[in-house]
Amino acid sequence: VPVLIIARDRAQSDAIVERLRLAARSRGLGDASDDIVRSLSRALYEADPEQWKDNLNRSTLPLGGAESCAKSWRVTVTDPRGGRGTDYRVDDPSVDAQGGLLVIPTAVPTSQREWTQFLGRTARQDRRGQFCAVLCEADYSALSAKFGEELSAPSSETSLECVDAIIAWGDREIASRIRSSAALYNCGVRVNELCEELFGRRQQMLQDPLVRERLVEMCQRLRWMSVREID
């Protein structure tokens, strides 16, 4: 079946393409390696949009044409941008018979919405689809340390425990940022109220550049305090 690898980022996408092409050449495939392994990275799109479009069109087509009896398929490598919104159209019924386009993410995003987008690159237009995540535990060491939890090995080949854990960490990270933003917002509102009250009583302060500079400095310090500390 055709394979779509969604790399962690642009750099990893380019590195995977080079390594797969090198592996193909070492097996005697020669110049055909560049056709067998194709890139759909953002870097290629910016450098050569026409080549990017050609790679996209060929990504789900069999090698050597549709008339071949024993069909072989390309491996396409993209970055997270190619894992969202790009249509990988599969029309060959023989692909469905083998489970559909195989998506291989090398990283699970911490957003459920983005993960759903990754999986949505396969099983399109009423076709079948399959995926297999190949992850590196080190990529999640910072989140693991922050929440004091280990990324345990899956209990079975079809288990999504690791995926669920990573997305749950992402949800907690977002919740923490929202709380921090809310605290900063409330602090800013209170400082603004105090400034309005101060300038309402002594408008002449705004005319002194040195006073304005000192007030800005004070407001910068107050932003790191809670509303209770400011009061």
Side-chain angles (χ1 to χ4, degrees), residues 104-181:
I104 304 180
T106 66
V108 174
T110 53
S111 163
Q112 177 67 61
R113 183 176 182 178
E114 189 170 8
W115 177 242
T116 300
Q117 284 286 326
F118 282 12
L119 300 187
R121 295 318 92 208
T122 188
R124 302 176 67 82
Q125 295 97 23
D126 297 323
R127 297 292 185 178
R128 297 181 65 190
Q130 52 192 328
F131 79 94
C132 176
V134 180
L135 309 178
C136 176
E137 187 176 5
D139 290 342
Y140 303 96
S141 58
L143 284 174
S144 177
K146 178 175 182 177
F147 296 113
E149 300 173 1
E150 293 185 359
L151 195 61
S152 58
S155 57
S156 67
E157 292 183 359
T158 58
S159 173
L160 296 178
E161 294 169 3
C162 291
V163 173
D164 293 339
I166 293 168
I167 292 175
W169 288 344
D171 290 341
R172 290 161 68 181
E173 181 83 358
I174 292 172
S176 175
R177 291 177 183 176
I178 290 174
R179 287 193 296 270
S180 299
S181 299

Side-chain angles (χ1 to χ4, degrees), residues 38-55:
R38 296 211 172 207
S39 171
L40 278 178
S41 72
R42 188 67 183 178
L44 175 63
Y45 180 82
E46 293 171 352
D48 192 344
E50 292 305 317
Q51 183 62 61
W52 188 93
K53 292 176 184 177
D54 182 61
N55 287 358

Side-chain angles (χ1 to χ4, degrees), residues 8-221:
R8 181 182 62 248
D9 50 35
R10 291 189 187 189
Q12 189 188 55
S13 174
D14 293 339
I16 290 175
V17 168
E18 290 306 313
R19 290 176 183 177
L20 289 178
R21 285 176 174 172
L22 183 62
R25 292 189 186 99
S26 70
R27 287 164 174 77
L29 296 176
D31 294 339
S33 304
D34 292 347
D35 184 25
I36 295 170
V37 182
R38 296 211 172 207
S39 171
L40 278 178
S41 72
R42 188 67 183 178
L44 175 63
Y45 180 82
E46 293 171 352
D48 192 344
E50 292 305 317
Q51 183 62 61
W52 188 93
K53 292 176 184 177
D54 182 61
N55 287 358
L56 174 60
N57 292 334
R58 294 177 181 272
S59 63
T60 55
L61 296 177
L63 288 163
E67 299 80 15
S68 303
C69 296
K71 295 179 181 178
S72 299
W73 303 88
R74 293 178 174 85
V75 175
T76 305
V77 187
T78 188
D79 51 37
R81 281 180 176 265
R84 303 187 298 266
T86 305
D87 188 11
Y88 302 92
R89 187 177 182 86
V90 180
D91 295 319
D92 196 310
S94 66
V95 176
D96 259 10
Q98 298 298 323
L101 170 66
L102 173 60
V103 170
I104 304 180
T106 66
V108 174
T110 53
S111 163
Q112 177 67 61
R113 183 176 182 178
E114 189 170 8
W115 177 242
T116 300
Q117 284 286 326
F118 282 12
L119 300 187
R121 295 318 92 208
T122 188
R124 302 176 67 82
Q125 295 97 23
D126 297 323
R127 297 292 185 178
R128 297 181 65 190
Q130 52 192 328
F131 79 94
C132 176
V134 180
L135 309 178
C136 176
E137 187 176 5
D139 290 342
Y140 303 96
S141 58
L143 284 174
S144 177
K146 178 175 182 177
F147 296 113
E149 300 173 1
E150 293 185 359
L151 195 61
S152 58
S155 57
S156 67
E157 292 183 359
T158 58
S159 173
L160 296 178
E161 294 169 3
C162 291
V163 173
D164 293 339
I166 293 168
I167 292 175
W169 288 344
D171 290 341
R172 290 161 68 181
E173 181 83 358
I174 292 172
S176 175
R177 291 177 183 176
I178 290 174
R179 287 193 296 270
S180 299
S181 299
L184 184 60
Y185 171 79
N186 293 333
C187 175
V189 169
R190 183 57 181 144
V191 170
N192 187 61
E193 291 172 348
L194 292 174
C195 288
E196 288 181 350
E197 183 177 348
L198 177 62
F199 297 143
R201 293 179 180 180
R202 303 184 63 180
Q203 296 184 6
Q204 68 276 13
M205 295 177 64
L206 291 173
Q207 300 174 5
D208 188 332
L210 181 60
V211 172
R212 291 201 303 268
E213 184 178 341
R214 292 289 177 82
L215 286 171
V216 169
E217 182 181 349
M218 289 174 58
C219 289
Q220 291 292 335
R221 293 178 181 178

